[in-house]
């Protein structure tokens, strides 16, 4: 990628599955849901639109699946590591191209960690404030076009307690989503007034409340300094405005934060979310 591919498929009940990967064997891989086609049908897909980010996986119908839950004294978490802007293409990761870890804090104190970006933690019964932090990295592949969204760190903040009469309770986590007018190489022009749509997704266990606060900042120096982007809310939609005047050739790190009406929050940084052309 980028590129244009035209494919022809047998119509009927056969299901077709599309996948895309970087150079073999140390590859990062994303896939599509299974699809069937009718005689004469035409459809179009856009892949890899950025920034790539973690979120809830999708089922065969494209619906959000369960990503985080509490069962008794256990909290479990497994999301999709990378999802593109379309929401149709994602991966659980775990290939040679992705690494990461997971840390859980209770009332500000670390109570567990995992050497992988998913896992299960034992927690006490009492109502507590939790912070779950996931760190993701792509292993360098040498494919310059894939080197966007090379790392993502996400911290979810929520409260949880044991419910004796509930077998499984979805955790109230928010996953940031972005609507950037990037080109096929995930770049933006060196100009001002670039509007970015900001939103969140839940998962099968939780539907987010209305977003009450949203922010976006960006950095050209790997997070040493940050520029705050003005944000606006029109109805329930949030928009940030970027100014990349004079930033041709810069690699951009982004940082966003959201809070919903139920008091749940998320903060996320993405390294090299896009480049300025």
């Amino acid at each position: 990628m980028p590129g244009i591919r035209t494919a022809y498929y047998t119509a009927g009940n056969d299901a077709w599955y599309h996948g895309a990967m970087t150079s073999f064997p140390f590859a990062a891989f994303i896939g599509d849901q299974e699809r069937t086609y009718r005689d004469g049908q035409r459809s179009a897909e856009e892949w890899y639109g950025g920034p790539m980010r973690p979120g809830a996986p999708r089922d065969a119908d494209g619906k959000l699946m369960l990503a985080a839950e509490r069962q008794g004294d256990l909290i479990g978490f497994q999301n999709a590591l990378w999802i593109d802007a379309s929401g149709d293409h994602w991966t659980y990761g775990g290939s040679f191209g992705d690494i990461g870890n997971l840390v859980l804090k209770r009332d500000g104190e670390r109570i567990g960690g995992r050497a992988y970006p998913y896992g299960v933690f034992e927690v006490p019964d009492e109502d507590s404030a939790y912070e779950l932090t996931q760190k993701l990295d792509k292993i360098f592949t040498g494919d310059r076009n894939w080197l966007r969204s090379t790392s993502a760190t996400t911290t979810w903040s929520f409260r949880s307690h044991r419910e004796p009469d509930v077998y499984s309770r979805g955790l109230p986590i928010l996953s940031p989503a972005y609507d950037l007018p990037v080109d096929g190489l995930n770049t933006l022009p060196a100009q001002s007034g670039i509007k970015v749509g900001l939103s969140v997704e839940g998962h099968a266990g939780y539907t987010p409340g209305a977003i009450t606060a949203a922010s976006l900042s960006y950095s050209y120096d790997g997070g040493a300094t940050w520029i705050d982007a003005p944000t606006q809310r029109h109805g329930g939609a949030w928009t940030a405005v970027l100014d990349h005047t004079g930033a041709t050739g810069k690699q951009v790190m982004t940082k966003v934060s959201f809070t919903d009406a139920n008091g749940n929050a998320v903060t996320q940084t993405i390294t090299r979310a896009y480049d300025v052309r």
Side-chain angles (χ1 to χ4, degrees), residues 17-117:
Y17 176 78
H18 304 171
M21 63 186 293
T22 56
S23 53
F24 184 82
F26 298 104
F29 179 87
I30 56 175
D32 191 20
Q33 68 191 70
E34 292 185 353
R35 299 180 186 274
T36 57
Y37 299 93
R38 302 184 306 274
D39 287 339
Q41 176 184 346
R42 292 177 177 266
S43 62
E45 304 172 13
E46 293 188 5
W47 288 65
Y48 187 51
M52 301 282 286
R53 43 85 183 185
R58 275 62 169 165
D59 66 14
D61 296 319
K63 296 180 180 179
L64 300 178
M65 297 169 62
L66 187 70
E69 65 175 328
R70 178 164 185 157
Q71 294 184 10
D73 62 353
L74 300 176
I75 279 179
F77 177 83
Q78 183 173 18
N79 62 352
L81 300 192
W82 304 107
I83 301 173
D84 69 8
S86 73
D88 291 334
H89 313 120
W90 59 275
T91 178
Y92 274 122
S95 69
F96 289 109
D98 302 296
I99 57 177
N101 57 59
L102 199 65
V103 171
L104 182 65
K105 292 182 179 180
R106 172 180 173 265
D107 295 333
E109 179 180 353
R110 175 176 169 142
I111 62 172
R114 298 293 180 268
Y116 303 96

Side-chain angles (χ1 to χ4, degrees), residues 195-239:
K195 294 185 178 180
V196 180
L198 300 175
S199 59
V200 297
E201 296 176 345
H203 62 113
Y206 180 69
T207 300
I211 299 303
T212 57
S215 67
L216 181 147
S217 55
Y218 53 97
S219 172
Y220 299 127
D221 54 15
T225 58
W226 293 93
I227 301 169
D228 294 330
T231 56
Q232 302 172 341
R233 177 171 62 177
H234 296 286
W238 288 83
T239 303

Side-chain angles (χ1 to χ4, degrees), residues 51-54 81-82 97-100 134-139 146-154 178 252-254 268-274:
M52 301 282 286
R53 43 85 183 185
L81 300 192
W82 304 107
D98 302 296
I99 57 177
Q134 181 187 58
K135 178 72 165 62
L136 301 175
D137 287 291
K138 290 180 184 174
I139 295 175
W146 186 256
L147 296 179
R148 306 289 188 271
S149 301
T150 56
S151 178
T153 300
T154 309
Y178 309 82
V252 182
M253 173 183 280
T254 58
Q268 183 175 83
T269 60
I270 299 180
T271 301
R272 202 175 180 183
Y274 56 91

Side-chain angles (χ1 to χ4, degrees), residues 162-205:
R162 183 167 189 165
E163 300 174 81
D165 298 330
V166 176
Y167 173 71
S168 173
R169 173 73 68 189
L171 296 177
I173 64 171
L174 316 173
S175 295
Y178 309 82
D179 183 9
L180 274 74
V182 293
D183 64 5
L185 282 170
N186 274 346
T187 72
L188 290 176
Q191 65 185 46
S192 62
I194 302 171
K195 294 185 178 180
V196 180
L198 300 175
S199 59
V200 297
E201 296 176 345
H203 62 113

Side-chain angles (χ1 to χ4, degrees), residues 247-265:
T248 296
K250 298 289 187 180
Q251 300 175 9
V252 182
M253 173 183 280
T254 58
K255 178 169 61 177
V256 297
S257 63
F258 295 92
T259 303
D260 77 356
N262 301 319
N264 306 296

